[in-house]
Amino acid sequence: MADRPIIFVLNGPNLNMLGTREPEIYGHDTLDDIAGRLEDRALELGVQIDMRQSNHEGHLVDWIQEAGATGARAILLNAGAFTHTSIAIHDAIKGVNVPVIEVHLSNPHRREAFRHISYVGQAAKGTIAGFGAASYMLALDAAAGF
Ligand code: DHK
């Protein structure tokens, strides 16, 4: 249904490797598994998701701008390691009038010190982290209420 509000679900570097990448940290679900569950939940919530992944920082900037230009309801953003490095993504979030929920499978604050800084979190409306694939589901439930 074309008129359901669109929620972008943007995923950064190495998240295409979910399922086999450090499963003790990121779990066994693939990104496609997560997308399937989000699609089902989106139907129940009366929204639709547009889920994407890229290993390239500029793609994430482009997609955040696109979400703004097309009037997306919200963005769920797991920027992967760019979370901790990217002022460009921080600025892109600030530059659009779309609420962003920062999402992480793991809890970066329990991990290495270099993950304790989040340029995404400093621009986002809120953060959900540490619940594995359920972090995405919790974020979708929150975003559907915006
Ligand atoms: C994913 C990554 O790829 C890491 O670089 C972040 C995040 C944490 C996650 O838990 O989803 O530090």
Side-chain angles (χ1 to χ4, degrees), residues 13-15 21 26 78 80-81 84 103-106 108 111 115:
N14 298 306
L15 291 165
R21 172 195 184 203
Y26 298 107
N78 185 350
H84 318 296
V103 176
H104 298 295
L105 296 139
S106 68
R111 301 180 62 194
R115 296 183 204 277

Side-chain angles (χ1 to χ4, degrees), residues 15-142:
L15 291 165
N16 56 314
M17 301 295 287
L18 284 185
T20 56
R21 172 195 184 203
E22 298 183 275
E24 66 287 358
I25 295 174
Y26 298 107
H28 293 276
D29 290 319
T30 67
L31 204 56
D32 280 347
D33 294 333
I34 296 172
R37 262 180 263 152
L38 286 171
E39 296 277 5
D40 291 346
R41 183 68 183 140
L43 256 182
E44 291 170 3
L45 293 168
V47 298
Q48 54 186 317
I49 62 159
D50 185 336
M51 176 119 163
R52 307 179 190 184
Q53 187 276 331
S54 176
N55 293 327
H56 304 278
E57 184 176 11
H59 289 164
L60 295 168
V61 171
D62 288 345
W63 293 339
I64 291 164
Q65 292 179 4
E66 182 185 332
T70 58
R73 171 69 58 90
I75 301 170
L76 313 189
L77 175 60
N78 185 350
F82 293 141
T83 301
H84 318 296
T85 62
S86 179
I87 296 168
I89 292 174
H90 174 100
D91 285 349
I93 295 168
K94 298 270 259 204
V96 296
N97 195 21
V98 181
V100 172
I101 302 180
E102 177 187 25
V103 176
H104 298 295
L105 296 139
S106 68
N107 177 355
H109 295 287
R110 293 189 62 162
R111 301 180 62 194
E112 304 94 324
F114 62 80
R115 296 183 204 277
H116 296 176
I117 292 285
S118 172
Y119 291 104
V120 169
Q122 290 176 38
K125 182 176 174 73
T127 298
I128 300 177
F131 303 103
S135 293
Y136 285 81
M137 307 303 289
L138 293 165
L140 181 62
D141 279 10

Side-chain angles (χ1 to χ4, degrees), residues 3-20:
D3 50 312
R4 283 183 287 148
I6 297 182
I7 296 175
F8 278 42
V9 185
L10 305 181
N11 296 278
N14 298 306
L15 291 165
N16 56 314
M17 301 295 287
L18 284 185
T20 56

